[in-house]
Amino acid sequence: MQRPKLRSGALVAAAALTLALGGAPLLVTGADHLDAPALGGLTNANGDIAPHSDHGDRDINDVYVFQGSNASRTVLAMTTNPAINLFNTTFGKNVRYAINVDRNGDAKQDLAYVWRFGDPNASGAQSYTVTRYSGANARSYAMGVKIASGSTGGSGLGTAKDGAKVFAGVRSDPFFFDLTGFLGTVLGVGSDAFGSNPTDFFTPLNTNAVVIEVPDDAIGGTNIGVWGTTSWWDGSSWMAADQMGRPAINTVFNTKLVDPNSGQTKNRFNTTPPSQQRTAFGGLFRTNAITTLTNFNAVVTNPKFGTHCADWDATTAGAIADVLLPDVITYDVTTAANGEALNGRALADDVIDAELGITTNGCVTSDGVNAHTDYLSSFPYLGVPH
Ligand SMILES: [Ca+2]
Ligand SMILES: [Ca+2]
Ligand SMILES: [Ca+2]
């Protein structure tokens, strides 16, 4: 397989995405792009690969939390719907997009910012609102306060109360990863390999994004946990759709390498509250993480990952699993984020390198690609769309 030339056109890019997704049970789509069958997922009923989904508007790609350009402010961001410049889709009118905050370490929401969207107008722009829920309402959405409204057209910036800044609309996808190199090295797919002219698959791709920046006081805690959730209205009730904190947890640890029902497990992971992720379904998610960590280097075929490298012992793997579950981003809001050190996640943090190191017991510590160069120094921080 030739290295995809994404800039040569949307059709080629879509084909490349299809090829890239085709052979990969691990880390396939990056962080959490289309990570489960219920989101449209990677495969259809025939087992064919589907790089795009009718439910992509419910799919969370990545979640970020970091210090604003003013150190007394905190930024929460979530990207949704991958490769949107290839498929020209919008936010879901029937979807709630929530960024959740836990203030007391129990992995249950104490604060949530929820975006809702209207129908696209003739030019594709959508009106939006942002509602702030706190306390028990952050879990039930029973009663909230509308703090902002705006449109995805133009700048995407909204009008906000209480010193907040808000954004919703299309941005350059901040995520970076040598996807084809990973596929070649780990799975023997194609002719690319890690360390061989590393190329960032995500450089030309756009994504939808919601971003909010608030004074630290509005967060209401110092050491917090952050994760994103989406839910959709099925006509009679709200259904949980996607969920993620740290990148690629569902993608890396709930795979067919360790779980014969990995599709069902991925759906369950996305709909199990973080506070129950260690114990739900008989501890399945924790077991899968441990099994992956104790077998990863041995089961992948490339010698770099194979017998040359030892896997984690079970005790250490259990300790790592208990750090990674519940799947929330832990962050001290008084500090600059450092995703590699599991403290928040800034746009440029090389979380994939960190995750490669963790998963391979230090055997592979980089995919060879670095952060994008199009991040902004001020709100909304994510780069302008391609
Ligand atoms: Ca996802
Ligand atoms: Ca809590
Ligand atoms: Ca990297």
Side-chain angles (χ1 to χ4, degrees):
M1 184 177 78
Q2 293 297 305
R3 182 178 297 278
K5 299 292 192 294
L6 292 180
R7 287 190 184 82
S8 60
L11 196 62
V12 175
L17 196 57
T18 303
L19 284 173
L21 300 183
L26 287 165
L27 267 171
V28 277
T29 48
D32 259 61
H33 303 57
L34 295 179
D35 57 291
L39 299 167
L42 300 173
T43 57
N44 62 24
N46 297 324
D48 300 324
I49 300 302
H52 182 62
S53 165
D54 290 343
H55 302 317
D57 59 5
R58 304 171 195 166
D59 180 47
I60 302 170
N61 299 342
D62 283 286
V63 178
Y64 302 88
V65 53
F66 53 93
Q67 207 164 56
S69 55
N70 177 326
S72 68
R73 296 169 65 86
T74 294
V75 180
L76 304 165
M78 177 166 73
T79 56
T80 62
N81 218 347
I84 196 167
N85 44 331
L86 307 183
F87 303 102
N88 193 33
T89 51
T90 62
F91 290 98
K93 184 182 179 182
N94 67 335
V95 178
R96 292 191 296 210
Y97 300 86
I99 303 179
N100 308 287
V101 176
D102 167 36
R103 294 167 170 155
N104 62 353
D106 64 1
K108 296 177 180 175
Q109 297 96 324
D110 303 298
L111 171 68
Y113 293 101
V114 178
W115 280 254
R116 295 292 309 277
F117 293 85
D119 284 319
N121 67 17
S123 61
Q126 293 175 276
S127 64
Y128 70 85
T129 61
V130 185
T131 303
R132 183 183 194 272
Y133 298 90
S134 60
N137 287 308
R139 299 182 285 278
S140 68
Y141 299 155
M143 186 161 37
V145 177
K146 190 174 92 171
I147 63 159
S149 59
S151 169
T152 63
S155 71
L157 301 176
T159 302
K161 299 195 295 189
D162 303 333
K165 298 178 181 178
V166 298
F167 170 88
V170 180
R171 303 309 285 180
S172 164
D173 192 336
F175 185 65
F176 48 98
F177 180 41
D178 184 2
L179 179 60
T180 57
F182 178 87
L183 296 179
T185 293
V186 177
L187 299 160
V189 173
S191 57
D192 199 2
F194 272 164
S196 168
N197 186 27
T199 301
D200 176 9
F201 188 80
F202 293 86
T203 298
L205 299 181
N206 288 342
T207 178
N208 274 332
V210 295
V211 189
I212 186 167
E213 178 182 308
V214 296
D216 287 349
D217 289 350
I219 297 292
T222 300
N223 290 293
I224 61 172
V226 175
W227 69 103
T229 50
T230 55
S231 50
W232 61 283
W233 182 251
D234 74 350
S236 57
S237 58
W238 286 99
M239 309 292 289
D242 200 3
Q243 172 174 260
M244 73 174 288
R246 295 187 177 114
I249 299 298
N250 202 14
T251 306
V252 171
F253 294 114
N254 295 316
T255 69
K256 60 187 178 185
L257 286 179
V258 299
D259 184 343
N261 301 310
S262 61
Q264 178 188 65
T265 300
K266 287 172 182 292
N267 289 339
R268 286 174 165 176
F269 189 77
N270 281 341
T271 56
T272 299
S275 61
Q276 299 170 25
Q277 285 172 344
R278 281 187 199 165
T279 56
F281 303 106
L284 174 62
F285 308 131
R286 186 174 184 276
T287 297
N288 281 355
I290 292 170
T291 306
T292 302
L293 291 164
T294 53
N295 290 281
F296 183 87
N297 290 332
V299 296
V300 297
T301 55
N302 188 287
K304 190 173 185 181
F305 286 78
T307 54
H308 296 191
C309 293
D311 282 297
W312 293 106
D313 64 83
T315 301
T316 309
I320 294 170
D322 289 337
V323 171
L324 299 180
L325 299 174
D327 179 24
V328 303
I329 303 174
T330 50
Y331 179 52
D332 177 345
V333 300
T334 66
T335 63
N338 181 346
E340 294 96 327
L342 303 183
N343 182 38
R345 182 183 178 190
L347 301 176
D349 288 348
D350 204 330
V351 290
I352 284 294
D353 283 3
E355 191 144 343
L356 282 169
I358 291 171
T359 307
T360 64
N361 189 10
C363 187
V364 176
T365 55
S366 178
D367 66 341
V369 303
N370 297 316
H372 295 171
T373 56
D374 64 350
Y375 310 131
L376 308 180
S377 58
S378 60
F379 192 85
Y381 303 102
L382 284 73
V384 298
H386 302 289

PDB file of all heavy atoms in Angstrom, residues 16-25 28-30 33-34 41-42 49-52 179 183 201:
ATOM      1  N   ALA A  16      -8.243   6.064   1.137  1.00  0.00           N
ATOM      2  CA  ALA A  16      -7.109   5.827   2.024  1.00  0.00           C
ATOM      3  C   ALA A  16      -7.593   5.533   3.429  1.00  0.00           C
ATOM      4  O   ALA A  16      -7.080   4.642   4.112  1.00  0.00           O
ATOM      5  CB  ALA A  16      -6.190   7.052   2.028  1.00  0.00           C
ATOM      6  N   LEU A  17      -8.593   6.264   3.834  1.00  0.00           N
ATOM      7  CA  LEU A  17      -9.138   6.040   5.172  1.00  0.00           C
ATOM      8  C   LEU A  17      -9.713   4.636   5.262  1.00  0.00           C
ATOM      9  O   LEU A  17      -9.518   3.921   6.230  1.00  0.00           O
ATOM     10  CB  LEU A  17     -10.211   7.087   5.459  1.00  0.00           C
ATOM     11  CG  LEU A  17     -10.659   7.295   6.896  1.00  0.00           C
ATOM     12  CD1 LEU A  17      -9.474   7.649   7.785  1.00  0.00           C
ATOM     13  CD2 LEU A  17     -11.707   8.384   6.965  1.00  0.00           C
ATOM     14  N   THR A  18     -10.385   4.232   4.204  1.00  0.00           N
ATOM     15  CA  THR A  18     -10.942   2.881   4.178  1.00  0.00           C
ATOM     16  C   THR A  18      -9.842   1.840   4.296  1.00  0.00           C
ATOM     17  O   THR A  18      -9.929   0.912   5.094  1.00  0.00           O
ATOM     18  CB  THR A  18     -11.711   2.654   2.864  1.00  0.00           C
ATOM     19  OG1 THR A  18     -12.716   3.650   2.759  1.00  0.00           O
ATOM     20  CG2 THR A  18     -12.344   1.289   2.840  1.00  0.00           C
ATOM     21  N   LEU A  19      -8.785   2.015   3.511  1.00  0.00           N
ATOM     22  CA  LEU A  19      -7.678   1.079   3.558  1.00  0.00           C
ATOM     23  C   LEU A  19      -7.059   1.054   4.942  1.00  0.00           C
ATOM     24  O   LEU A  19      -6.770   0.005   5.501  1.00  0.00           O
ATOM     25  CB  LEU A  19      -6.611   1.489   2.532  1.00  0.00           C
ATOM     26  CG  LEU A  19      -6.924   1.167   1.083  1.00  0.00           C
ATOM     27  CD1 LEU A  19      -5.864   1.797   0.193  1.00  0.00           C
ATOM     28  CD2 LEU A  19      -6.946  -0.338   0.880  1.00  0.00           C
ATOM     29  N   ALA A  20      -6.874   2.242   5.491  1.00  0.00           N
ATOM     30  CA  ALA A  20      -6.199   2.325   6.776  1.00  0.00           C
ATOM     31  C   ALA A  20      -7.020   1.660   7.860  1.00  0.00           C
ATOM     32  O   ALA A  20      -6.491   0.995   8.741  1.00  0.00           O
ATOM     33  CB  ALA A  20      -5.936   3.785   7.126  1.00  0.00           C
ATOM     34  N   LEU A  21      -8.322   1.834   7.792  1.00  0.00           N
ATOM     35  CA  LEU A  21      -9.166   1.259   8.820  1.00  0.00           C
ATOM     36  C   LEU A  21      -9.302  -0.249   8.639  1.00  0.00           C
ATOM     37  O   LEU A  21      -9.600  -0.969   9.570  1.00  0.00           O
ATOM     38  CB  LEU A  21     -10.561   1.887   8.766  1.00  0.00           C
ATOM     39  CG  LEU A  21     -10.620   3.389   8.984  1.00  0.00           C
ATOM     40  CD1 LEU A  21     -12.066   3.853   8.989  1.00  0.00           C
ATOM     41  CD2 LEU A  21      -9.953   3.772  10.279  1.00  0.00           C
ATOM     42  N   GLY A  22      -9.059  -0.711   7.405  1.00  0.00           N
ATOM     43  CA  GLY A  22      -9.419  -2.059   7.067  1.00  0.00           C
ATOM     44  C   GLY A  22      -8.750  -3.149   7.878  1.00  0.00           C
ATOM     45  O   GLY A  22      -9.399  -4.097   8.282  1.00  0.00           O
ATOM     46  N   GLY A  23      -7.475  -3.034   8.141  1.00  0.00           N
ATOM     47  CA  GLY A  23      -6.787  -4.163   8.736  1.00  0.00           C
ATOM     48  C   GLY A  23      -6.500  -4.048  10.208  1.00  0.00           C
ATOM     49  O   GLY A  23      -5.745  -4.834  10.736  1.00  0.00           O
ATOM     50  N   ALA A  24      -7.088  -3.095  10.861  1.00  0.00           N
ATOM     51  CA  ALA A  24      -6.530  -2.720  12.147  1.00  0.00           C
ATOM     52  C   ALA A  24      -7.478  -2.894  13.316  1.00  0.00           C
ATOM     53  O   ALA A  24      -8.446  -2.180  13.429  1.00  0.00           O
ATOM     54  CB  ALA A  24      -6.113  -1.259  12.078  1.00  0.00           C
ATOM     55  N   PRO A  25      -7.200  -3.832  14.176  1.00  0.00           N
ATOM     56  CA  PRO A  25      -8.022  -3.933  15.373  1.00  0.00           C
ATOM     57  C   PRO A  25      -7.581  -3.003  16.489  1.00  0.00           C
ATOM     58  O   PRO A  25      -8.273  -2.881  17.485  1.00  0.00           O
ATOM     59  CB  PRO A  25      -7.834  -5.393  15.794  1.00  0.00           C
ATOM     60  CG  PRO A  25      -6.471  -5.744  15.325  1.00  0.00           C
ATOM     61  CD  PRO A  25      -6.249  -4.927  14.070  1.00  0.00           C
ATOM     62  N   VAL A  28      -7.075   1.920  15.621  1.00  0.00           N
ATOM     63  CA  VAL A  28      -7.292   2.054  14.195  1.00  0.00           C
ATOM     64  C   VAL A  28      -7.587   3.454  13.754  1.00  0.00           C
ATOM     65  O   VAL A  28      -7.041   3.937  12.777  1.00  0.00           O
ATOM     66  CB  VAL A  28      -8.461   1.184  13.737  1.00  0.00           C
ATOM     67  CG1 VAL A  28      -8.005  -0.215  13.516  1.00  0.00           C
ATOM     68  CG2 VAL A  28      -9.582   1.266  14.715  1.00  0.00           C
ATOM     69  N   THR A  29      -8.487   4.102  14.413  1.00  0.00           N
ATOM     70  CA  THR A  29      -8.955   5.368  13.890  1.00  0.00           C
ATOM     71  C   THR A  29      -8.362   6.540  14.631  1.00  0.00           C
ATOM     72  O   THR A  29      -8.823   7.641  14.488  1.00  0.00           O
ATOM     73  CB  THR A  29     -10.481   5.420  13.967  1.00  0.00           C
ATOM     74  OG1 THR A  29     -10.866   5.004  15.274  1.00  0.00           O
ATOM     75  CG2 THR A  29     -11.102   4.526  12.936  1.00  0.00           C
ATOM     76  N   GLY A  30      -7.341   6.297  15.390  1.00  0.00           N
ATOM     77  CA  GLY A  30      -6.758   7.404  16.117  1.00  0.00           C
ATOM     78  C   GLY A  30      -7.167   7.329  17.563  1.00  0.00           C
ATOM     79  O   GLY A  30      -6.980   6.317  18.203  1.00  0.00           O
ATOM     80  N   HIS A  33     -12.063   7.895  17.205  1.00  0.00           N
ATOM     81  CA  HIS A  33     -12.882   8.166  16.036  1.00  0.00           C
ATOM     82  C   HIS A  33     -13.637   6.896  15.635  1.00  0.00           C
ATOM     83  O   HIS A  33     -13.028   5.877  15.336  1.00  0.00           O
ATOM     84  CB  HIS A  33     -12.015   8.632  14.877  1.00  0.00           C
ATOM     85  CG  HIS A  33     -11.164   9.859  15.175  1.00  0.00           C
ATOM     86  ND1 HIS A  33     -10.261   9.922  16.196  1.00  0.00           N
ATOM     87  CD2 HIS A  33     -11.092  11.059  14.545  1.00  0.00           C
ATOM     88  CE1 HIS A  33      -9.661  11.101  16.195  1.00  0.00           C
ATOM     89  NE2 HIS A  33     -10.143  11.824  15.198  1.00  0.00           N
ATOM     90  N   LEU A  34     -14.950   6.930  15.672  1.00  0.00           N
ATOM     91  CA  LEU A  34     -15.806   5.777  15.310  1.00  0.00           C
ATOM     92  C   LEU A  34     -15.313   4.498  15.979  1.00  0.00           C
ATOM     93  O   LEU A  34     -14.946   3.531  15.318  1.00  0.00           O
ATOM     94  CB  LEU A  34     -15.857   5.602  13.784  1.00  0.00           C
ATOM     95  CG  LEU A  34     -16.503   6.730  12.982  1.00  0.00           C
ATOM     96  CD1 LEU A  34     -16.445   6.413  11.488  1.00  0.00           C
ATOM     97  CD2 LEU A  34     -17.939   6.975  13.417  1.00  0.00           C
ATOM     98  N   GLY A  41     -19.541   2.620  13.631  1.00  0.00           N
ATOM     99  CA  GLY A  41     -18.403   1.755  13.857  1.00  0.00           C
ATOM    100  C   GLY A  41     -17.535   1.550  12.641  1.00  0.00           C
ATOM    101  O   GLY A  41     -17.648   2.240  11.630  1.00  0.00           O
ATOM    102  N   LEU A  42     -16.640   0.633  12.748  1.00  0.00           N
ATOM    103  CA  LEU A  42     -15.674   0.385  11.700  1.00  0.00           C
ATOM    104  C   LEU A  42     -16.167  -0.596  10.665  1.00  0.00           C
ATOM    105  O   LEU A  42     -15.718  -0.605   9.538  1.00  0.00           O
ATOM    106  CB  LEU A  42     -14.385  -0.157  12.323  1.00  0.00           C
ATOM    107  CG  LEU A  42     -13.737   0.787  13.314  1.00  0.00           C
ATOM    108  CD1 LEU A  42     -12.573   0.105  13.990  1.00  0.00           C
ATOM    109  CD2 LEU A  42     -13.295   2.041  12.611  1.00  0.00           C
ATOM    110  N   ILE A  49     -15.627  -2.497   5.799  1.00  0.00           N
ATOM    111  CA  ILE A  49     -15.142  -1.365   6.571  1.00  0.00           C
ATOM    112  C   ILE A  49     -15.878  -0.094   6.165  1.00  0.00           C
ATOM    113  O   ILE A  49     -16.018   0.214   4.990  1.00  0.00           O
ATOM    114  CB  ILE A  49     -13.634  -1.176   6.357  1.00  0.00           C
ATOM    115  CG1 ILE A  49     -12.896  -2.425   6.789  1.00  0.00           C
ATOM    116  CG2 ILE A  49     -13.133   0.040   7.112  1.00  0.00           C
ATOM    117  CD1 ILE A  49     -13.121  -2.814   8.230  1.00  0.00           C
ATOM    118  N   ALA A  50     -16.374   0.615   7.143  1.00  0.00           N
ATOM    119  CA  ALA A  50     -17.106   1.848   6.900  1.00  0.00           C
ATOM    120  C   ALA A  50     -16.353   3.013   7.527  1.00  0.00           C
ATOM    121  O   ALA A  50     -16.381   3.181   8.741  1.00  0.00           O
ATOM    122  CB  ALA A  50     -18.508   1.736   7.507  1.00  0.00           C
ATOM    123  N   PRO A  51     -15.658   3.795   6.739  1.00  0.00           N
ATOM    124  CA  PRO A  51     -14.869   4.883   7.313  1.00  0.00           C
ATOM    125  C   PRO A  51     -15.716   6.047   7.791  1.00  0.00           C
ATOM    126  O   PRO A  51     -15.230   6.929   8.469  1.00  0.00           O
ATOM    127  CB  PRO A  51     -13.968   5.309   6.156  1.00  0.00           C
ATOM    128  CG  PRO A  51     -14.764   4.974   4.941  1.00  0.00           C
ATOM    129  CD  PRO A  51     -15.524   3.721   5.289  1.00  0.00           C
ATOM    130  N   HIS A  52     -16.970   6.039   7.410  1.00  0.00           N
ATOM    131  CA  HIS A  52     -17.852   7.123   7.822  1.00  0.00           C
ATOM    132  C   HIS A  52     -19.159   6.489   8.283  1.00  0.00           C
ATOM    133  O   HIS A  52     -19.486   5.364   7.936  1.00  0.00           O
ATOM    134  CB  HIS A  52     -18.117   8.076   6.649  1.00  0.00           C
ATOM    135  CG  HIS A  52     -18.972   9.234   7.038  1.00  0.00           C
ATOM    136  ND1 HIS A  52     -18.581  10.145   7.986  1.00  0.00           N
ATOM    137  CD2 HIS A  52     -20.196   9.620   6.628  1.00  0.00           C
ATOM    138  CE1 HIS A  52     -19.535  11.046   8.125  1.00  0.00           C
ATOM    139  NE2 HIS A  52     -20.523  10.755   7.322  1.00  0.00           N
ATOM    140  N   LEU A 179      -0.771   6.900  11.437  1.00  0.00           N
ATOM    141  CA  LEU A 179      -1.672   5.749  11.393  1.00  0.00           C
ATOM    142  C   LEU A 179      -1.141   4.647  10.486  1.00  0.00           C
ATOM    143  O   LEU A 179      -1.110   3.474  10.859  1.00  0.00           O
ATOM    144  CB  LEU A 179      -3.053   6.211  10.922  1.00  0.00           C
ATOM    145  CG  LEU A 179      -4.123   5.142  10.780  1.00  0.00           C
ATOM    146  CD1 LEU A 179      -4.379   4.447  12.104  1.00  0.00           C
ATOM    147  CD2 LEU A 179      -5.419   5.743  10.262  1.00  0.00           C
ATOM    148  N   LEU A 183       0.029   0.813  11.379  1.00  0.00           N
ATOM    149  CA  LEU A 183      -0.563  -0.381  10.779  1.00  0.00           C
ATOM    150  C   LEU A 183       0.511  -1.301  10.223  1.00  0.00           C
ATOM    151  O   LEU A 183       0.442  -2.526  10.370  1.00  0.00           O
ATOM    152  CB  LEU A 183      -1.535   0.015   9.665  1.00  0.00           C
ATOM    153  CG  LEU A 183      -2.757   0.822  10.101  1.00  0.00           C
ATOM    154  CD1 LEU A 183      -3.611   1.174   8.886  1.00  0.00           C
ATOM    155  CD2 LEU A 183      -3.573   0.061  11.121  1.00  0.00           C
ATOM    156  N   PHE A 201      -1.368  11.109   9.575  1.00  0.00           N
ATOM    157  CA  PHE A 201      -2.571  10.827   8.797  1.00  0.00           C
ATOM    158  C   PHE A 201      -3.619  11.922   8.949  1.00  0.00           C
ATOM    159  O   PHE A 201      -4.435  12.147   8.051  1.00  0.00           O
ATOM    160  CB  PHE A 201      -3.149   9.485   9.265  1.00  0.00           C
ATOM    161  CG  PHE A 201      -4.285   8.951   8.450  1.00  0.00           C
ATOM    162  CD1 PHE A 201      -4.047   8.292   7.264  1.00  0.00           C
ATOM    163  CD2 PHE A 201      -5.591   9.112   8.868  1.00  0.00           C
ATOM    164  CE1 PHE A 201      -5.098   7.792   6.505  1.00  0.00           C
ATOM    165  CE2 PHE A 201      -6.647   8.615   8.116  1.00  0.00           C
ATOM    166  CZ  PHE A 201      -6.402   7.955   6.929  1.00  0.00           C
TER     167      PHE A 201
END
